[in-house]
Amino acid sequence: NITRNGATGPWIAQLDMVQCEGDAGLLKMDFLGLNNLDIITDTIRRVKRNNGIEIDIQHIPEEKEVFAKIFSNGNTDTVFQFESGGMKDMLRQFKPGNMEDIVLLVAAYRPGPMQFIPDIIKVKHGQMKPHYIADGLEEILKETYGYPIYQEQVMQIFNKIGGFSLGESDVIRRAMSKKKLAVLTDPKTNYKGKFMDGLMKHGATMQDAEAFWEQLLDFANYAFNKSHAACYATISYMTAWLKYHYPAEYMCSVMSRTTFGKLPLLVNNCRKMNLRILQPNINLSQDGFVNDDDRIMFGFGNIKGLGSSGAEIVAERNENGAFNSVKDFVVRMISGSHSKAYDKTTMENLIKSGAFDEFCDGNRASLLDSIEEFGEATKKMLEKKRIYAERKELLDQMDDATPATD
């Protein structure tokens, strides 16, 4: 069931996760490829390039303004983990004020612990007091306003109150995280009986102990470990901090790394942030989005249908200077080293985007009608130049071959 994909390809297993780890003795590792990390890095580079400011993103301060203006207002479009409508509503109600709150919300907004969110919000704002059914629970659950949210809390509850060893508590945690409810309910292990005895020894009633056990079983399906939530929350805060302090650079990075379908929504977000979006310009645009203070200019690479042509246009401009007319653009793109970037579709997309507006007074329809004419005229002109150059070279060779006379 484990073989190589081709002679030099990677090893593959026709086994599920449990079989890989258990039966085959393999180590399974999950690697997350987060686009947000590239956005953060790109934003930092833009800030350095535009403002000369170096940001040590690993040591940015916790600022009440970021929590108030970004998180508590639900102003979290493009903020990692908090972009959905449900997340925004939760943020507005919860009003997070520190990193612990962000960690909690990352872990809580998922099936299982999500059921506790309304009561957690009430406890946080003093509208309800938390109910601890046994002595010692407050110490464990106080940071999450009286409700079990993290796997680590479940381990502590089983260890300190249920009377389980740390090893047994980790077995239970693992069973929860892998959704192996059969392990928890197996009568041979009697986890339930031992746990309920521990709760009642710490002051819980049998009814409360039974209800708490059932609550944990329900929670077990989607239990989240705090260390994982903390990593996610850290990235969330980084994106929120950059959005608050350097909105133009941040949104440039976000839009340069998104799909065409999401651009209209992001452009609308920019306008809400009082950022001006400028149409493409054949002499000013780069391959991606760029900003000048609060103005963001569309990049060639973000014009649908242009593909790699945008980078070729920028390269031609960098090598030979700005284009002084549409004709100049066509001639240079057809005859130069970047000719593969020119075709009818590319011209149409550039014209429709407004990239040539400065040369046609905004009359795009007229320019569209002239595309084929421009292309054919340019090709004929280049062909004449080629023939003239060949004839001149031939005449020069003939002159060199003619013997000199006295």
Side-chain angles (χ1 to χ4, degrees):
N1 290 325
I2 300 176
T3 185
R4 193 152 200 168
N5 187 11
T8 60
W11 288 94
I12 56 175
Q14 293 176 305
L15 304 169
D16 63 23
M17 175 185 72
V18 175
Q19 291 171 320
C20 278
E21 290 190 306
D23 300 339
L26 300 175
L27 174 64
K28 181 185 75 69
M29 300 179 70
D30 295 331
F31 293 92
L32 300 179
L34 297 180
N35 185 44
N36 302 81
L37 297 179
D38 291 330
I39 289 171
I40 290 170
T41 301
D42 189 42
T43 304
I44 292 170
R45 289 172 177 168
R46 289 176 186 271
V47 172
K48 170 67 174 177
R49 186 165 59 246
N50 293 348
N51 308 307
I53 298 172
E54 292 192 13
I55 298 172
D56 183 355
I57 199 66
Q58 300 291 344
H59 297 93
I60 56 176
E62 278 191 43
E63 298 174 350
K64 61 181 181 181
E65 294 84 2
V66 175
F67 291 107
K69 300 294 186 181
I70 302 295
F71 289 109
S72 293
N73 282 345
N75 182 23
T76 50
D77 287 319
T78 73
V79 172
F80 180 59
Q81 287 283 298
F82 290 96
E83 297 183 73
S84 71
M87 277 286 205
K88 293 174 190 175
D89 289 339
M90 177 185 65
L91 288 169
R92 294 186 190 102
Q93 295 176 53
F94 192 92
K95 303 292 184 186
N98 53 52
M99 280 300 297
E100 283 292 335
D101 284 345
I102 301 301
V103 176
L104 166 60
L105 295 179
V106 166
Y109 196 79
R110 59 195 67 250
M114 185 183 286
Q115 63 184 303
F116 306 137
I117 291 176
D119 287 343
I120 286 175
I121 292 172
K122 291 177 183 177
V123 172
K124 182 180 188 299
H125 296 301
Q127 300 166 354
M128 187 175 84
K129 289 187 177 181
H131 174 56
Y132 301 104
I133 65 169
D135 296 335
L137 277 179
E138 181 175 3
E139 178 186 351
I140 299 170
L141 300 178
K142 186 176 181 180
E143 66 171 325
T144 51
Y145 303 96
Y147 295 89
I149 299 297
Y150 308 123
Q151 291 179 13
E152 290 88 341
Q153 289 175 311
V154 175
M155 286 181 63
Q156 287 181 297
I157 292 170
F158 274 89
N159 173 238
K160 294 183 178 180
I161 298 175
F164 293 82
S165 68
L166 287 173
E168 289 175 316
S169 299
D170 189 53
V171 169
I172 295 170
R173 176 207 64 78
R174 186 175 178 83
M176 287 183 167
S177 67
K178 302 299 182 183
K179 301 176 179 58
K180 296 179 180 180
L181 298 185
V183 175
L184 303 177
T185 57
D186 188 344
K188 293 180 181 179
T189 58
N190 193 32
Y191 286 148
K192 178 180 179 181
K194 186 176 179 180
F195 181 66
M196 289 185 63
D197 287 343
L199 283 174
M200 288 187 284
K201 285 179 182 178
H202 284 77
T205 66
M206 180 173 287
Q207 184 178 1
D208 282 344
E210 180 77 35
F212 194 61
W213 172 260
E214 294 299 325
Q215 187 183 71
L216 287 181
L217 286 183
D218 187 37
F219 166 79
N221 283 299
Y222 296 95
F224 210 64
N225 64 68
K226 186 178 182 180
S227 58
H228 193 169
C231 291
Y232 273 20
T234 299
I235 298 174
S236 296
Y237 184 77
M238 288 177 178
T239 56
W241 189 89
L242 290 170
K243 180 179 180 178
Y244 178 74
H245 286 284
Y246 301 99
E249 285 83 359
Y250 179 71
M251 291 306 295
C252 271
S253 299
V254 170
M255 291 192 293
S256 292
R257 295 178 176 276
T258 195
T259 59
F260 292 113
K262 293 182 179 180
L263 279 177
L265 177 61
L266 294 174
V267 168
N268 189 47
N269 288 340
C270 287
R271 288 169 178 155
K272 289 180 181 178
M273 297 163 65
N274 296 319
L275 299 174
R276 292 178 57 198
I277 302 296
L278 306 180
Q279 67 188 40
N281 182 293
I282 201 65
N283 280 322
L284 299 177
S285 289
Q286 300 296 320
D287 192 34
F289 285 89
V290 292
N291 76 287
D292 178 17
D293 294 329
D294 62 348
R295 297 177 300 173
I296 296 176
M297 177 164 286
F298 235 85
F300 293 129
N302 301 102
I303 299 174
K304 192 170 184 177
L306 234 63
S308 61
S309 296
E312 297 288 337
I313 293 170
V314 173
E316 167 61 30
R317 197 178 64 203
N318 290 341
E319 292 168 13
N320 300 302
F323 303 106
N324 54 46
S325 66
V326 178
K327 179 181 178 181
D328 181 48
F329 173 84
V330 174
V331 170
R332 285 166 57 179
M333 295 309 297
I334 289 180
S335 62
S337 58
H338 304 283
S339 58
K340 64 181 180 180
Y342 181 88
D343 58 34
K344 182 180 177 181
T345 301
T346 297
M347 278 298 293
E348 286 179 348
N349 291 331
L350 285 169
I351 293 168
K352 290 176 181 178
S353 73
F356 290 112
D357 278 5
E358 65 176 293
F359 297 138
C360 66
D361 295 325
N363 190 350
R364 300 176 191 175
S366 175
L367 202 53
L368 283 168
D369 291 338
S370 305
I371 291 177
E372 292 190 19
E373 181 183 338
F374 267 125
E376 290 303 317
T378 300
K379 289 176 183 177
K380 288 179 181 179
M381 178 194 71
L382 293 173
E383 180 64 16
K384 288 180 179 179
K385 281 188 174 182
R386 184 187 66 79
I387 293 173
Y388 172 78
E390 289 178 352
R391 288 177 177 175
K392 184 176 185 303
E393 183 180 2
L394 182 61
L395 289 172
D396 290 342
Q397 290 174 356
M398 291 174 63
D399 287 343
D400 292 338
T402 302
T405 57
D406 294 335

